[in-house]
Amino acid sequence: MAYVSMGEAHRRITECLNRFCDAVSYQDSSTLCRLLSFSSNSPSLLSLADALNVFQDASSLIRQSDKFSDYGEILAHLFRSLQSYRVGNLVEAYLAYEKFANAFVQEFRNWESAWALEALYVVCYEVRVLAEKADKELTSNGKSPEKLKAAGSLLMKVFGVLAGKGPKRVGALYVTCQLFKTYFKLGTVNLCRSVIRSIETARIFDFEEFPRRDKVTYMYYTGRLEVFNENFPAADTKLSYALKYCNPNRERNIRMILKYLIPVKLSIGMIPNDELLRNYNLHEYKKIVQALKKGDLRLLRHALQEHEDRFLRSGVYLVLEKLELQVYQRLMKKIYIIQKQSDPARAHQLKLEVIAKTLRWLEIDMDLDEVECIMTILIYKNLVKGYLAHKSKVVVLSKQDPFPKLNGKPVGS
């Protein structure tokens, strides 16, 4: 930190106070955003923080002027937060920013127009990010992380302010997305439901009037929720919407969407091409796709084991594990095709012993009872058309379309 004289510190603080008050008076949202965005680490904010840590009595400057004192509570908490943030005391920075945010939201509520909506977005974002950093600090000191939970309560309060009639309501979806990020981070995704109900059933909201950026984020998170609920058609619709309207220059965001959309597509029988996996560095799915194409159960299991930690973290492991049934279907189809070439008259009769031998070749040891169980499931799930002749240990396949395609529907639907 460079040396700052008392006079220079006084000048910087006074300049910031004037900029804040002028931004409110002239409804200059962009200037206001820059003053509130700690995470930007802008040189002007850092130099202000240095000045505050030298002067130490900014509250007296605020009280001395009627112009500043109108926003005294807002500014005092903002300055205290910035001071703590500059010296790395993130818990104190969050606590002060939370008080500032509450005061700012109250002031925002009194403003008739939505001119400060972008500034409110910055406040919501900074509250969440600061809370995450504060929780890391608490955890490192052996204390219970609790600030992100508090941030969620504050964001819910902001949502309530925006969930009404008038121009401010278009901001509700942005706050909803910040709530989603908070709940997903906390592992309390069940709390998303009440907000979703408000957005999707309340008559005051028209989804199409929200900004595209927020609609894409909303569809991404609600699509992930549908994945967790194994509602794959709904997940496909939401995640496909997010992919279609995502900014094509945001490759990282596209990759995040595809991380969930690909397992969904695979679950409904739609296989992505190699170019897509290559372009977005989604190599973890390459062997899984190959296993589905080849009917190679061993390859699928190896791929799941190789990337187990990654799939578990993203919550798609169980979805991918259930692809085994499709791999079995593909394997049965390959056996059927080979048998049709060698003995066309009996192509529709698959002996369980032949299936067991094929599995052993893939280093998967199953007795005939286990093979019979697998075939029963495939028939029940409509992945194979036919019936089991239990006594003769044979699967008798339908002569018409014995291996139905999923055609975009989940297994067993």
Side-chain angles (χ1 to χ4, degrees):
M1 182 175 71
Y3 170 75
V4 181
S5 68
M6 188 65 72
E8 174 61 16
H10 183 283
R11 187 196 67 77
R12 290 182 189 178
I13 296 167
T14 304
E15 181 184 35
C16 176
L17 291 170
N18 278 311
R19 286 174 66 200
F20 182 93
C21 294
D22 288 346
V24 175
S25 297
Y26 296 108
Q27 299 188 354
D28 181 357
S29 184
S30 59
T31 296
L32 202 54
C33 288
R34 289 192 292 273
L35 292 171
L36 308 180
S37 181
F38 287 12
S39 62
S40 67
N41 288 315
S42 69
S44 59
L45 274 180
L46 295 178
S47 67
L48 172 61
D50 293 340
L52 289 166
N53 283 315
V54 168
F55 197 78
Q56 291 292 332
D57 192 21
S59 296
S60 63
L61 286 179
I62 296 170
R63 290 193 300 269
Q64 285 171 10
S65 168
D66 290 340
K67 179 181 179 181
F68 304 151
S69 61
D70 287 344
Y71 306 106
E73 186 179 3
I74 293 175
L75 292 164
H77 292 313
L78 181 66
F79 284 174
R80 274 196 290 273
S81 180
L82 186 57
Q83 282 180 275
S84 299
Y85 182 79
R86 181 59 164 151
V87 297
N89 189 339
L90 298 172
V91 174
E92 290 300 319
Y94 170 76
L95 290 171
Y97 202 93
E98 183 184 58
K99 291 177 181 176
F100 151 75
N102 274 302
F104 183 85
V105 169
Q106 186 57 47
E107 194 68 32
F108 177 87
R109 190 198 297 265
N110 296 331
W111 294 330
E112 290 185 8
S113 73
W115 71 269
L117 206 50
E118 290 293 332
L120 185 68
Y121 293 166
V122 170
V123 172
C124 292
Y125 175 82
E126 294 294 330
V127 160
R128 180 180 62 80
V129 172
L130 263 178
E132 289 183 14
K133 291 178 179 178
D135 277 350
K136 285 182 181 178
E137 183 180 292
L138 287 168
T139 302
S140 66
N141 293 331
K143 296 179 181 178
S144 176
E146 56 188 17
K147 302 309 174 192
L148 190 57
K149 185 178 179 181
S153 298
L154 176 57
L155 289 170
M156 199 65 201
K157 177 182 176 181
V158 177
F159 179 83
V161 171
L162 297 173
K165 295 179 180 179
K168 294 179 183 178
R169 70 177 182 272
V170 296
L173 200 63
Y174 179 88
V175 180
T176 296
C177 294
Q178 294 301 314
L179 279 166
F180 285 166
K181 291 176 183 180
T182 301
Y183 294 152
F184 271 78
K185 186 80 174 180
L186 290 171
T188 55
V189 294
N190 58 303
L191 297 177
C192 296
R193 292 174 187 164
S194 61
V195 191
I196 292 171
R197 278 197 300 269
S198 297
I199 292 293
E200 296 187 359
T201 62
R203 294 180 180 178
I204 59 169
F205 293 122
D206 176 2
F207 190 74
E208 290 309 313
E209 78 176 355
F210 292 120
R212 175 182 287 193
R213 171 198 66 183
D214 300 337
K215 288 190 289 187
V216 167
T217 306
Y218 178 84
M219 286 299 199
Y220 165 72
Y221 278 103
T222 54
R224 283 182 61 180
L225 285 172
E226 298 295 2
V227 173
F228 297 152
N229 294 330
E230 296 190 8
N231 187 353
F232 298 130
D236 181 32
T237 299
K238 291 175 182 291
L239 291 169
S240 295
Y241 180 101
L243 182 64
K244 180 179 180 180
Y245 293 105
C246 184
N247 186 331
N249 297 320
R250 297 294 182 94
E251 289 191 12
R252 180 177 175 273
N253 291 351
I254 292 173
R255 188 177 186 279
M256 287 171 63
I257 295 167
L258 287 171
K259 276 174 62 178
Y260 295 94
L261 184 57
I262 287 173
V264 168
K265 291 290 189 185
L266 293 174
S267 297
I268 58 178
M270 302 175 74
I271 296 178
N273 59 51
D274 293 339
E275 185 180 3
L276 180 73
L277 302 181
R278 189 168 54 251
N279 288 347
Y280 292 100
N281 194 28
L282 291 160
H283 303 301
E284 63 267 32
Y285 291 111
K286 185 177 179 181
K287 290 180 181 178
I288 291 174
V289 169
Q290 289 174 350
L292 279 166
K293 288 179 177 178
K294 294 178 180 179
D296 190 338
L297 195 61
R298 175 179 54 185
L299 182 59
L300 176 67
R301 290 179 176 177
H302 284 175
L304 288 173
Q305 187 176 14
E306 182 182 352
H307 301 289
E308 182 177 8
D309 288 343
R310 182 178 297 183
F311 292 144
L312 285 171
R313 281 197 305 271
S314 59
V316 298
Y317 183 87
L318 293 177
V319 177
L320 295 170
E321 191 177 44
K322 290 180 179 180
L323 295 174
E324 278 200 2
L325 288 178
Q326 289 188 54
V327 176
Y328 276 119
Q329 183 205 43
R330 182 64 181 167
L331 181 61
M332 297 309 112
K333 188 173 181 179
K334 290 181 79 171
I335 295 171
Y336 166 76
I337 291 170
I338 292 169
Q339 190 161 297
K340 191 175 182 180
Q341 291 171 347
S342 60
D343 188 1
R346 296 190 177 185
H348 65 289
Q349 296 180 12
L350 300 185
K351 292 182 179 180
L352 297 185
E353 181 58 42
V354 172
I355 298 171
K357 283 182 180 179
T358 306
L359 289 169
R360 281 196 291 273
W361 182 77
L362 291 169
E363 299 177 4
I364 297 168
D365 193 19
M366 282 190 187
D367 60 32
L368 293 186
D369 288 340
E370 289 174 307
V371 173
E372 186 174 339
C373 182
I374 293 294
M375 294 309 302
T376 302
I377 294 171
L378 290 175
I379 292 169
Y380 175 74
K381 295 287 187 179
N382 201 37
L383 288 169
V384 171
K385 279 185 181 180
Y387 64 91
L388 264 165
H390 178 70
K391 287 185 179 180
S392 55
K393 301 293 182 183
V394 169
V395 180
V396 181
L397 299 173
S398 169
K399 292 185 178 180
Q400 290 186 342
D401 193 21
F403 302 101
K405 293 182 179 179
L406 292 175
N407 291 325
K409 295 180 181 179
V411 170
S413 64

